Amino acid sequence: MDTLSHVPPGFRFHPTDEELVDYYLRKKVASRRIDLDIIKDIDLYKIEPWDLQVKCKIGTEEQNEWYFFSHKDKKYPTGTRTNRATTAGFWKATGRDKPIYSKNTLIGMRKTLVFYRGRAPNGQKSDWIMHEYRLEANDRLHA
Amino acid sequence: MDTLSHVPPGFRFHPTDEELVDYYLRKKVASRRIDLDIIKDIDLYKIEPWDLQVKCKIGTEEQNEWYFFSHKDKKYPTGTRTNRATTAGFWKATGRDKPIYSKNTLIGMRKTLVFYRGRAPNGQKSDWIMHEYRLEANDRLHA
């Protein structure tokens, strides 16, 4: 793949949570240039998990993890609830969000989601797991 | 580390045997330029295994594998036997050499060695393991 042509042989994309948030996500949000176009933009709610594999392929190797950027889709234009449904099913959060630190500073959070086929509140749980990373704003109001 | 400054964040050096032989070793033997000076030259028989960690460090991360180039040292100037002794001990081959293929072509062999403290034929086996890669010449004489 073209984007990998300037990474030397022997290197694999195995980013840490800190690198994903502090480098890739932070740059993306600030619309700053990312050295290597390795993380694709997709609309996660217009794509089924099993179709991600083709769109988010890195190089020629077998992968069982894929990375992508996607915008959050609001359920209602004025609301804060997130719509995580695709045509075939929906993504549902599971467990607690995990804090991501750089040294001792909280820089982001990681949410884990599971894909269910069908429609909430029913649906059939699948083996597809997704981690959603978000930046944690460090601007605080003290009073 | 300087050599890693042009590898994008999130990439780790996890080469396959095929990449080590077909790219890194083949270029080294042919004195051709290697994109990234990630594999250091050392004299393996002048260095103890526990001192490799500092010399062959990649980046800032914890490593438990190190990569290096080293010349074979002949036991006697006219002989073919290899001297694999250091000051504190010696490297001893174990098991069978493993063939390395690129597609269906044999391109090299991988020898596994274990470090023993002391002097052969005695010496105390350690947990240090080394893989020695060599090119397999594909020039054959047919008659």
Side-chain angles (χ1 to χ4, degrees):
Chain A
M1 201 178 184
D2 224 23
T3 48
L4 276 181
S5 59
H6 55 282
V7 174
F11 284 85
R12 305 280 174 283
F13 191 57
H14 291 151
T16 62
D17 285 348
E18 185 186 338
E19 286 168 327
L20 285 174
V21 169
D22 213 29
Y23 181 81
Y24 289 97
L25 183 55
R26 196 180 295 287
K27 287 214 166 196
K28 185 71 178 177
V29 166
S31 301
R32 275 156 56 208
R33 205 179 68 82
I34 293 172
D35 286 349
L36 201 63
D37 176 32
I38 197 129
I39 302 185
K40 300 282 176 255
D41 284 292
I42 65 161
D43 183 342
L44 186 59
Y45 306 104
K46 296 221 171 86
I47 192 168
E48 307 302 334
W50 44 87
D51 295 327
L52 287 170
Q53 312 181 43
V54 177
K55 291 229 177 190
C56 303
K57 220 168 144 49
I58 301 174
T60 55
E61 280 179 21
E62 292 242 342
Q63 273 174 264
N64 50 22
E65 293 194 344
W66 300 270
Y67 298 89
F68 47 85
F69 291 118
S70 187
H71 279 283
K72 255 187 168 179
D73 186 19
K74 295 261 177 69
K75 206 174 181 77
Y76 306 105
T78 52
T80 55
R81 285 171 65 195
T82 305
N83 182 23
R84 289 201 176 85
T86 68
T87 303
F90 58 96
W91 291 97
K92 189 182 163 188
T94 181
R96 291 189 188 174
D97 291 4
K98 184 191 162 209
I100 298 164
Y101 294 96
S102 176
K103 281 140 206 165
N104 289 318
T105 307
L106 181 70
I107 55 167
M109 296 294 284
R110 187 183 87 176
K111 184 186 288 299
T112 301
L113 303 114
V114 178
F115 189 76
Y116 288 73
R117 288 165 199 261
R119 280 286 156 261
N122 303 309
Q124 195 192 339
K125 196 173 177 175
S126 77
D127 290 333
W128 290 95
I129 299 264
M130 174 167 68
H131 293 122
E132 182 182 274
Y133 295 86
R134 63 177 188 269
L135 290 176
E136 194 64 20
N138 280 309
D139 313 310
R140 289 280 180 275
L141 182 114
H142 294 270
Chain B
M1 203 177 184
D2 223 25
T3 48
L4 277 181
S5 59
H6 55 281
V7 175
F11 285 84
R12 306 281 174 281
F13 191 57
H14 290 152
T16 61
D17 286 349
E18 184 186 339
E19 286 169 327
L20 284 174
V21 169
D22 213 30
Y23 180 81
Y24 289 98
L25 182 54
R26 195 180 297 287
K27 286 215 166 195
K28 184 71 178 179
V29 166
S31 301
R32 275 154 57 207
R33 204 180 69 83
I34 294 171
D35 286 349
L36 201 65
D37 176 31
I38 197 128
I39 302 184
K40 299 282 175 255
D41 284 292
I42 64 161
D43 184 342
L44 187 60
Y45 307 103
K46 295 220 170 87
I47 193 167
E48 308 302 335
W50 45 87
D51 295 326
L52 287 171
Q53 312 181 45
V54 177
K55 291 229 179 190
C56 303
K57 219 167 145 48
I58 300 173
T60 55
E61 279 178 22
E62 292 242 341
Q63 274 174 265
N64 51 21
E65 293 193 345
W66 299 269
Y67 298 88
F68 47 85
F69 291 118
S70 187
H71 280 283
K72 257 186 165 180
D73 186 19
K74 296 262 177 68
K75 205 171 181 81
Y76 307 104
T78 54
T80 55
R81 285 173 64 196
T82 305
N83 182 22
R84 290 201 175 84
T86 68
T87 303
F90 58 96
W91 291 97
K92 190 181 163 187
T94 181
R96 292 187 188 177
D97 292 3
K98 182 191 162 209
I100 298 165
Y101 293 96
S102 175
K103 281 140 207 166
N104 289 316
T105 308
L106 182 70
I107 55 168
M109 296 295 284
R110 187 183 87 175
K111 185 186 286 301
T112 302
L113 304 114
V114 178
F115 189 78
Y116 289 74
R117 288 164 199 261
R119 281 286 157 261
N122 303 310
Q124 193 193 340
K125 196 174 178 174
S126 77
D127 291 333
W128 290 96
I129 301 264
M130 176 166 67
H131 293 123
E132 183 183 273
Y133 295 87
R134 63 177 188 269
L135 291 177
E136 194 64 19
N138 281 310
D139 313 310
R140 291 278 180 277
L141 183 114
H142 295 271

